[in-house]
Amino acid sequence: MHIKNYTHRHSGKVAQFEVRFTRYLDNKGNVVNTPLPSWANKSDVLIPLYKNMIQTRKFDQAALNLQRTGRLGTYASPLGQEAIGAAVASSMWAEDVLVPSYREFGAQMWRGVTMTELLLYWGGDERGSDYQVPREDFPVSIPVASHCCHATGVAYAFKLRKQKRVAVCCLGDGATSKGDFYESLNAAAAWHVPAVFIISNNQWAISIPLNKQTSAQTLAQKAIAAGVVNEQVDGNDLIALRAVTERAIDEARFGEGPRLIEALTYRLGDHTTADDASRYRSQAEVEEQRSNDPILRLRSYLLNAGLLTEADESELNQECERNAAAAVEQYLATPPQTARSMFDYLYAHLPDSLRRQRDALAGQQCDG
Amino acid sequence: MAEITLVEAVNQALTWEMSHNENVLVLGEDVGVDGGVFRATVGLLEKFGDERVLDSPLSETLISGASVGMATQGLIPIAEIQFMGFAYSTIDQILNHAARMRNRTRGRLSCPMVLRAPFGGGIRAPEHHSESTEALFAHIPGLRVVIPSSPIRAYGLLLAAIRDPDPVVFLEPKRIYRLAKQEVPNNGDALPLDVCFVLRPGNDISVVTWGAMTHEVMAAAERLADQDVSVEVIDVATIKPLDMKTILESVEKTGRCVIVHEAALSGGWGAEVAAQVAEHGLLDLLAPVRRVTGYDTVMPLYRLEDEYMPSTDRIVNVINEVLEFA
């Protein structure tokens, strides 16, 4: 019998829920919750994460500079959200699969996507999604929430093949208003697959603030309707994020079913370089959020805990700047693809009917 | 060898391929215990278990999107959408993801998946169950759209679709699911994709069609044969990509061309065939290309569906008009 029998039930409460919130560091980087995770005093764990956040920000500055000088297309800045990528990717195994939206550069870089590849993609070159290292990771999904379904499917493949792997999907607050999001969670739970969904709730979906997006108290609770275990975390607190994502991904990996995490953060930049956020939100709001910068919070913690010195920090900053500059140079030096490349990967074998179009394009190029 | 119907041929092809390739799985609404609303997947659950014959939530976007995820992992998902009228939410996944994954990753990831859906009118079905909107899918680059017209072709083309390394939308004309039976050797032999099949050779006029309409066209050809008119009938089968070579060779021989499909006229796939005949075969033509199709109206509820769909009479009349031209 698979159906739920209600015929003998009395009136009254039949279900109840709560959503847990986790934070370890306050806005100044002071510890407000103990005990801290066991790795919170280990520089070999935290410094690479801090470096990833710095690298993401240096990359962002380089990309914005390229865009403003006409050498990069429309680009979506992750400014202010750097802790999430570092925490999520460092909680994954190499053989897991990341299914990212379009603002997850930190996570992608941690997993081996190069800054040159990222620049190529935003610079209008498909080769930027031919990641040389995380070969099975998805390219970024521009259509919002449609990629949630992919994570459920990838996770189903892991389950079918009895692999201890996890599909991790990163999405934004706007995505939680779409049916794809709910359909993906619902099936992930019904099929009990190892998928973890991470919402970067940065409060704004272009110009739509959260209170116009939903009347729900939290976005995490949207998972409850699908039967997915969920929680909320301070998305600018690296320590809390890492604790929560590591546990959720491990649980999914070892057969406990899908998980959802809502990470509360703030988009300090415009939606993309094609956007002007001053049209819909005040500068005062943005300034207030700057004091909640995840890099500053972790920095204070690391300095206070004696895990980082100002000299280390200056070295880290310089190294990350050099890395970004080298990627920019490599990106700018990459010759463009041939025009015929638009035919080369359309099908495994180009159908005869398309050969004529390809040859016409080639002929046109010869004619100049 | 027993004769089987088109829907039984679909089942036979699924069973064959699932038996020979453990990466193949079937998912969709009611495909498991129920065996599919048209019984296309009957018996698969018992043979292959509920992990490879996956009853999904009622969730077409998810069915298509999860298939994309599975396919990138090297599985070959065969997703069933219960009726084409419910397939429109899958277009996001098919167009934005499945059909462009290989291209957008420069070959790193691909989507070898099949999306099956019954389509077309003629079975007195409820609203939204009878449309023929194959052109919506055929417009999508990177995709294949395949439509069988008989049990033999359903078996061979479905095997080919499953084995194809790129995504295939496989549209099954449900009006002929059980219309005719054929002997279909269950030998695992696929038919080629991307080519038309000449169902009946002829010299006076080329009639290009696909799916269930092949039956009306063949009946029209039979009737015209009594008047000593020799009709060449071409079953396009893979409408995307389109094998114009076979069609143009036929038009070169006959000089006359009629296209027959159940879908609405404007922007139907017949428009693409006609445009290409005009571009590449104009000087072979002895008469204008004509189309016999559904109307540019909403598909009527079933009391009027026979009025909407091209009948043998309409096809014969238009063929006669084209033959009488100049």
Side-chain angles (χ1 to χ4, degrees), chain A residues 126 129 131 134-140 146 149-150 153-154 156 158 161 165 183 187 337 341 345 347-348 353, chain B residues 23 51 54 59 61-62 65-66 69-70 72-73 75 93 97 102-104 106 108 142-144 165-166 241-242:
Chain A
E126 285 86 353
S129 294
Y131 310 142
R135 296 295 287 169
E136 295 177 37
D137 277 10
F138 268 63
V140 302
S146 59
C149 304
H150 306 159
V154 169
Y156 189 84
F158 295 160
R161 289 172 166 163
R165 302 168 71 189
E183 290 188 33
Q337 303 178 95
S341 71
Y345 301 94
Y347 295 92
S353 58
Chain B
N23 288 322
E51 289 195 324
L54 181 57
S59 207
T61 300
L62 180 277
M70 293 171 183
T72 61
Q73 280 296 312
L75 294 178
Q93 289 293 339
H97 296 295
R102 180 187 298 283
N103 183 70
R104 70 188 298 249
R106 286 306 187 240
R108 183 171 63 85
L143 190 65
R144 282 190 165 77
D166 291 301
L242 187 56

Side-chain angles (χ1 to χ4, degrees), chain A residues 62 66 71 116 119 322-335:
Chain A
L66 283 170
R71 295 176 293 173
T116 307
L119 289 172
R322 281 197 305 274
N323 293 342
V328 167
E329 202 172 308
Q330 200 182 10
Y331 159 65
L332 293 174
T334 305

Side-chain angles (χ1 to χ4, degrees), chain A residues 148-166:
Chain A
C148 299
C149 304
H150 306 159
T152 297
V154 169
Y156 189 84
F158 295 160
K159 185 187 176 198
L160 183 71
R161 289 172 166 163
K162 302 186 172 26
Q163 297 170 332
K164 295 288 178 217
R165 302 168 71 189
V166 182

Side-chain angles (χ1 to χ4, degrees), chain B residues 62-268:
Chain B
L62 180 277
I63 292 168
S64 54
S67 295
V68 169
M70 293 171 183
T72 61
Q73 280 296 312
L75 294 178
I76 303 173
I78 305 171
E80 176 175 306
I81 301 298
Q82 222 154 54
F83 290 90
M84 196 180 197
F86 312 134
Y88 306 126
S89 69
T90 72
I91 290 180
D92 184 23
Q93 289 293 339
I94 297 295
L95 198 163
N96 279 326
H97 296 295
R100 65 190 287 155
M101 189 63 80
R102 180 187 298 283
N103 183 70
R104 70 188 298 249
T105 62
R106 286 306 187 240
R108 183 171 63 85
L109 298 175
S110 59
C111 281
M113 58 178 277
V114 180
L115 188 94
R116 295 177 42 242
F119 83 118
I123 65 160
R124 304 286 181 262
E127 195 173 8
H128 302 289
H129 286 64
S130 300
E131 284 75 5
S132 295
T133 44
E134 64 271 22
L136 295 177
F137 288 94
H139 190 63
I140 299 173
L143 190 65
R144 282 190 165 77
V145 181
V146 178
I147 302 174
S149 62
S150 66
I152 285 175
R153 252 172 271 290
Y155 181 77
L157 291 172
L158 182 53
L159 285 177
I162 300 168
R163 294 169 192 171
D164 191 83
D166 291 301
V168 178
V169 170
F170 194 83
L171 300 174
E172 297 163 7
K174 60 182 179 289
R175 180 161 60 91
I176 59 170
Y177 260 159
R178 296 183 172 85
L179 185 70
K181 289 187 171 188
Q182 280 178 323
E183 284 187 3
V184 182
N186 191 15
N187 53 15
D189 286 352
L191 286 167
L193 299 177
D194 303 358
V195 294
C196 303
F197 297 90
V198 177
L199 296 187
R200 179 187 177 108
N203 297 311
D204 297 330
I205 187 164
S206 309
V207 181
V208 179
T209 189
W210 52 87
M213 274 299 139
T214 53
H215 290 258
E216 279 67 27
V217 170
M218 288 297 274
E222 200 64 41
R223 199 185 297 175
L224 286 158
D226 296 342
Q227 306 163 26
D228 286 332
V229 174
S230 164
V231 178
E232 180 146 300
V233 178
I234 297 174
D235 174 9
V236 178
T238 302
I239 66 165
K240 168 83 170 202
L242 187 56
D243 167 24
M244 280 307 295
K245 191 164 168 283
T246 302
I247 295 170
L248 288 168
E249 280 170 6
S250 176
V251 172
E252 189 181 357
K253 178 174 67 177
T254 64
R256 298 172 202 269
C257 180
V258 169
I259 302 152
V260 181
H261 61 61
E262 211 175 294
L265 178 74
S266 301

